[in-house]
Amino acid sequence: MRAIVLKKNGNANQLKYTELPLPQLKEGEVLVQAKAIGINPIDLKTKNRKGIYSILQNENPLILGWELSGVVTQSRSEKFVEGDEVFGLINFPGHGKTYAEYVACPTAHLVKKPSNRSHFEAAATSLAGLTAYQSLVHLGGLKSGQKILIHAASGGVGHFAVQIAKHLGAYVAGTSSEKNREFLLGLGADKHLDYKTDALEKDHKDYDVVLDTIGGNTIDRSIPLIKKEGVLISIPSGKNNAVTEKATKNGIKGLKFTVKSDENDMKVIADYLQQGILKPHISKIVEFDAMEEAHTQIASGHTVGKVIVRL
Ligand SMILES: NC(=O)c1ccc[n+]([C@@H]2O[C@H](COP(=O)([O-])OP(=O)(O)OC[C@H]3O[C@@H](n4cnc5c(N)ncnc54)[C@H](OP(=O)(O)O)[C@@H]3O)[C@@H](O)[C@H]2O)c1
């Protein structure tokens, strides 16, 4: 099968196409022929082999990627049979290996793809959709009537977070630059704040939850906006180390978060997708041969919604 391996640290030009044998299945796994895979900032961070993903530094071959949608071609499980269309977040945190034509996937990380959604839409929703869901619901405990501020609400995680928070009945404010204002409001956000201005400093100081997808200075700018006993959830690994300490000093809760592959949460995501509660915005689809282009887009830091690779 064709796969993309990372030979050494560096830029997108270190991603090398190669032929590998089909993965061997363990009990409880299925072989999935990938139809679409999602590209995420963590793929780029792993390329530099920094942070939490240093755990992959001795993997050889190192195949990047964690989210996919595709078709089961072999099964060592009773859960799925050949021909089933499935999607999910594979082995996160761990070695997902989805930059390949075929991927060995634990069935506990997969769910059936809704028949009314494409492989592109399903792949797009796995990592970023699950991150938004787990952070808002499990960590933030977001409830109807509460107020949430979502940073980078036009990005992969943020645009799902807006949709989930609205579905839960929250009041939603989101940040992006001015060019994405209409996109954000179109997702259902109640208010847009341009992070390039002093709109944050002028905003009301009564949020129950802030989802920080940026880190650093965004943590400092967010803390004064949160109610006493409110929650600041920060997800960008490496840029959020001080969140707990800074938040505690200000009488709020500061939490770091890492998404986890999870069957039950994926069932909720599949249901949201099927019902149209989650509508992934795919701004770019590139071919498997053009992975460098997908990485360059994510590296810009200004992707709207998701970038998907077609196989
Ligand atoms: N901990 C976890 O489990 C976990 C899971 C998923 C993602 N993450 C991390 O979360 C971060 C976000 O991921 P993502 O996939 O959502 O990224 P993304 O899609 O690349 O985010 C792009 C968006 O960010 C906006 N943006 C850029 N700078 C901004 C700023 N200073 N303030 C507000 N918005 C800004 C851009 O809008 P404009 O073009 O309008 O500026 C753009 O739409 C990454 O660091 C990623 O690694 C962590």
PDB file of all heavy atoms in Angstrom, residues 117 120-122 124-125 159-160 163 273 278-282 306:
ATOM      1  N   ARG A 117     -24.066  11.338   4.958  1.00  0.00           N
ATOM      2  CA  ARG A 117     -22.886  12.229   4.981  1.00  0.00           C
ATOM      3  C   ARG A 117     -21.743  11.606   4.191  1.00  0.00           C
ATOM      4  O   ARG A 117     -21.583  10.380   4.174  1.00  0.00           O
ATOM      5  CB  ARG A 117     -22.413  12.481   6.432  1.00  0.00           C
ATOM      6  CG  ARG A 117     -23.431  13.140   7.303  1.00  0.00           C
ATOM      7  CD  ARG A 117     -23.736  14.582   6.886  1.00  0.00           C
ATOM      8  NE  ARG A 117     -24.956  15.056   7.532  1.00  0.00           N
ATOM      9  CZ  ARG A 117     -25.938  15.729   6.927  1.00  0.00           C
ATOM     10  NH1 ARG A 117     -25.838  16.033   5.653  1.00  0.00           N
ATOM     11  NH2 ARG A 117     -27.003  16.104   7.573  1.00  0.00           N
ATOM     12  N   PHE A 120     -15.747  12.762   3.275  1.00  0.00           N
ATOM     13  CA  PHE A 120     -15.048  14.028   3.587  1.00  0.00           C
ATOM     14  C   PHE A 120     -15.618  14.633   4.874  1.00  0.00           C
ATOM     15  O   PHE A 120     -14.882  15.057   5.767  1.00  0.00           O
ATOM     16  CB  PHE A 120     -15.209  15.046   2.456  1.00  0.00           C
ATOM     17  CG  PHE A 120     -14.692  14.572   1.133  1.00  0.00           C
ATOM     18  CD1 PHE A 120     -15.452  14.716  -0.017  1.00  0.00           C
ATOM     19  CD2 PHE A 120     -13.447  13.979   1.028  1.00  0.00           C
ATOM     20  CE1 PHE A 120     -14.977  14.271  -1.235  1.00  0.00           C
ATOM     21  CE2 PHE A 120     -12.960  13.532  -0.195  1.00  0.00           C
ATOM     22  CZ  PHE A 120     -13.736  13.679  -1.329  1.00  0.00           C
ATOM     23  N   GLU A 121     -16.938  14.693   4.932  1.00  0.00           N
ATOM     24  CA  GLU A 121     -17.579  15.299   6.113  1.00  0.00           C
ATOM     25  C   GLU A 121     -17.280  14.484   7.373  1.00  0.00           C
ATOM     26  O   GLU A 121     -17.034  15.055   8.445  1.00  0.00           O
ATOM     27  CB  GLU A 121     -19.092  15.384   5.904  1.00  0.00           C
ATOM     28  CG  GLU A 121     -19.491  16.378   4.835  1.00  0.00           C
ATOM     29  CD  GLU A 121     -20.976  16.293   4.516  1.00  0.00           C
ATOM     30  OE1 GLU A 121     -21.426  15.220   4.057  1.00  0.00           O
ATOM     31  OE2 GLU A 121     -21.681  17.289   4.722  1.00  0.00           O
ATOM     32  N   ALA A 122     -17.299  13.164   7.237  1.00  0.00           N
ATOM     33  CA  ALA A 122     -17.063  12.315   8.410  1.00  0.00           C
ATOM     34  C   ALA A 122     -15.620  12.464   8.902  1.00  0.00           C
ATOM     35  O   ALA A 122     -15.385  12.672  10.108  1.00  0.00           O
ATOM     36  CB  ALA A 122     -17.379  10.866   8.061  1.00  0.00           C
ATOM     37  N   ALA A 124     -13.659  14.925   8.485  1.00  0.00           N
ATOM     38  CA  ALA A 124     -13.462  16.294   8.986  1.00  0.00           C
ATOM     39  C   ALA A 124     -13.896  16.448  10.435  1.00  0.00           C
ATOM     40  O   ALA A 124     -13.396  17.310  11.162  1.00  0.00           O
ATOM     41  CB  ALA A 124     -14.244  17.278   8.108  1.00  0.00           C
ATOM     42  N   THR A 125     -14.831  15.612  10.851  1.00  0.00           N
ATOM     43  CA  THR A 125     -15.480  15.832  12.142  1.00  0.00           C
ATOM     44  C   THR A 125     -14.845  15.028  13.272  1.00  0.00           C
ATOM     45  O   THR A 125     -15.160  15.247  14.437  1.00  0.00           O
ATOM     46  CB  THR A 125     -16.985  15.486  12.015  1.00  0.00           C
ATOM     47  OG1 THR A 125     -17.470  16.095  10.829  1.00  0.00           O
ATOM     48  CG2 THR A 125     -17.790  16.006  13.179  1.00  0.00           C
ATOM     49  N   HIS A 159     -15.039  25.983  14.939  1.00  0.00           N
ATOM     50  CA  HIS A 159     -16.326  26.014  14.222  1.00  0.00           C
ATOM     51  C   HIS A 159     -17.242  24.885  14.664  1.00  0.00           C
ATOM     52  O   HIS A 159     -18.465  25.023  14.627  1.00  0.00           O
ATOM     53  CB  HIS A 159     -16.121  26.108  12.704  1.00  0.00           C
ATOM     54  CG  HIS A 159     -16.041  24.818  11.951  1.00  0.00           C
ATOM     55  ND1 HIS A 159     -15.035  23.889  12.124  1.00  0.00           N
ATOM     56  CD2 HIS A 159     -16.850  24.307  10.995  1.00  0.00           C
ATOM     57  CE1 HIS A 159     -15.245  22.870  11.295  1.00  0.00           C
ATOM     58  NE2 HIS A 159     -16.340  23.105  10.610  1.00  0.00           N
ATOM     59  N   PHE A 160     -16.654  23.776  15.148  1.00  0.00           N
ATOM     60  CA  PHE A 160     -17.502  22.726  15.735  1.00  0.00           C
ATOM     61  C   PHE A 160     -17.967  23.144  17.135  1.00  0.00           C
ATOM     62  O   PHE A 160     -19.100  22.870  17.529  1.00  0.00           O
ATOM     63  CB  PHE A 160     -16.746  21.403  15.825  1.00  0.00           C
ATOM     64  CG  PHE A 160     -16.548  20.732  14.497  1.00  0.00           C
ATOM     65  CD1 PHE A 160     -15.283  20.364  14.062  1.00  0.00           C
ATOM     66  CD2 PHE A 160     -17.629  20.462  13.665  1.00  0.00           C
ATOM     67  CE1 PHE A 160     -15.102  19.748  12.839  1.00  0.00           C
ATOM     68  CE2 PHE A 160     -17.461  19.839  12.430  1.00  0.00           C
ATOM     69  CZ  PHE A 160     -16.182  19.484  12.015  1.00  0.00           C
ATOM     70  N   GLN A 163     -21.025  25.271  17.026  1.00  0.00           N
ATOM     71  CA  GLN A 163     -22.250  24.529  16.705  1.00  0.00           C
ATOM     72  C   GLN A 163     -22.723  23.685  17.889  1.00  0.00           C
ATOM     73  O   GLN A 163     -23.917  23.611  18.179  1.00  0.00           O
ATOM     74  CB  GLN A 163     -22.004  23.653  15.479  1.00  0.00           C
ATOM     75  CG  GLN A 163     -21.697  24.467  14.220  1.00  0.00           C
ATOM     76  CD  GLN A 163     -21.320  23.577  13.026  1.00  0.00           C
ATOM     77  OE1 GLN A 163     -22.090  22.718  12.620  1.00  0.00           O
ATOM     78  NE2 GLN A 163     -20.142  23.790  12.465  1.00  0.00           N
ATOM     79  N   LEU A 273     -23.850  14.517  13.351  1.00  0.00           N
ATOM     80  CA  LEU A 273     -23.611  14.663  11.904  1.00  0.00           C
ATOM     81  C   LEU A 273     -24.858  14.264  11.129  1.00  0.00           C
ATOM     82  O   LEU A 273     -25.295  14.970  10.222  1.00  0.00           O
ATOM     83  CB  LEU A 273     -22.482  13.721  11.488  1.00  0.00           C
ATOM     84  CG  LEU A 273     -21.098  14.273  11.250  1.00  0.00           C
ATOM     85  CD1 LEU A 273     -20.179  13.152  10.765  1.00  0.00           C
ATOM     86  CD2 LEU A 273     -21.087  15.412  10.249  1.00  0.00           C
ATOM     87  N   LEU A 278     -24.177  19.083  13.557  1.00  0.00           N
ATOM     88  CA  LEU A 278     -22.813  19.461  13.169  1.00  0.00           C
ATOM     89  C   LEU A 278     -22.725  19.466  11.652  1.00  0.00           C
ATOM     90  O   LEU A 278     -22.994  18.446  11.004  1.00  0.00           O
ATOM     91  CB  LEU A 278     -21.793  18.463  13.711  1.00  0.00           C
ATOM     92  CG  LEU A 278     -21.346  18.621  15.149  1.00  0.00           C
ATOM     93  CD1 LEU A 278     -20.262  17.605  15.478  1.00  0.00           C
ATOM     94  CD2 LEU A 278     -20.853  20.029  15.436  1.00  0.00           C
ATOM     95  N   LYS A 279     -22.328  20.627  11.122  1.00  0.00           N
ATOM     96  CA  LYS A 279     -22.108  20.730   9.670  1.00  0.00           C
ATOM     97  C   LYS A 279     -20.653  21.135   9.454  1.00  0.00           C
ATOM     98  O   LYS A 279     -20.303  22.304   9.596  1.00  0.00           O
ATOM     99  CB  LYS A 279     -23.019  21.800   9.073  1.00  0.00           C
ATOM    100  CG  LYS A 279     -24.494  21.466   9.155  1.00  0.00           C
ATOM    101  CD  LYS A 279     -25.297  22.433   8.283  1.00  0.00           C
ATOM    102  CE  LYS A 279     -26.766  22.161   8.350  1.00  0.00           C
ATOM    103  NZ  LYS A 279     -27.469  22.883   9.423  1.00  0.00           N
ATOM    104  N   PRO A 280     -19.782  20.166   9.116  1.00  0.00           N
ATOM    105  CA  PRO A 280     -18.374  20.518   8.922  1.00  0.00           C
ATOM    106  C   PRO A 280     -18.216  21.460   7.734  1.00  0.00           C
ATOM    107  O   PRO A 280     -18.866  21.268   6.701  1.00  0.00           O
ATOM    108  CB  PRO A 280     -17.693  19.177   8.632  1.00  0.00           C
ATOM    109  CG  PRO A 280     -18.778  18.205   8.374  1.00  0.00           C
ATOM    110  CD  PRO A 280     -20.048  18.731   8.924  1.00  0.00           C
ATOM    111  N   HIS A 281     -17.371  22.462   7.906  1.00  0.00           N
ATOM    112  CA  HIS A 281     -17.050  23.351   6.790  1.00  0.00           C
ATOM    113  C   HIS A 281     -15.698  22.907   6.252  1.00  0.00           C
ATOM    114  O   HIS A 281     -14.685  22.999   6.952  1.00  0.00           O
ATOM    115  CB  HIS A 281     -16.992  24.805   7.260  1.00  0.00           C
ATOM    116  CG  HIS A 281     -16.587  25.736   6.167  1.00  0.00           C
ATOM    117  ND1 HIS A 281     -17.494  26.280   5.284  1.00  0.00           N
ATOM    118  CD2 HIS A 281     -15.375  26.172   5.770  1.00  0.00           C
ATOM    119  CE1 HIS A 281     -16.853  27.030   4.405  1.00  0.00           C
ATOM    120  NE2 HIS A 281     -15.561  26.987   4.681  1.00  0.00           N
ATOM    121  N   ILE A 282     -15.672  22.431   5.025  1.00  0.00           N
ATOM    122  CA  ILE A 282     -14.415  21.970   4.413  1.00  0.00           C
ATOM    123  C   ILE A 282     -13.964  23.033   3.414  1.00  0.00           C
ATOM    124  O   ILE A 282     -14.608  23.244   2.393  1.00  0.00           O
ATOM    125  CB  ILE A 282     -14.619  20.607   3.729  1.00  0.00           C
ATOM    126  CG1 ILE A 282     -15.054  19.572   4.788  1.00  0.00           C
ATOM    127  CG2 ILE A 282     -13.348  20.165   3.014  1.00  0.00           C
ATOM    128  CD1 ILE A 282     -15.500  18.245   4.232  1.00  0.00           C
ATOM    129  N   LYS A 306     -12.013  23.065   7.911  1.00  0.00           N
ATOM    130  CA  LYS A 306     -11.105  21.918   7.827  1.00  0.00           C
ATOM    131  C   LYS A 306     -10.462  21.733   6.453  1.00  0.00           C
ATOM    132  O   LYS A 306     -11.029  22.102   5.435  1.00  0.00           O
ATOM    133  CB  LYS A 306     -11.918  20.651   8.137  1.00  0.00           C
ATOM    134  CG  LYS A 306     -12.351  20.524   9.583  1.00  0.00           C
ATOM    135  CD  LYS A 306     -11.235  20.106  10.509  1.00  0.00           C
ATOM    136  CE  LYS A 306     -10.615  18.791  10.093  1.00  0.00           C
ATOM    137  NZ  LYS A 306      -9.497  18.397  10.971  1.00  0.00           N
TER     138      LYS A 306
END
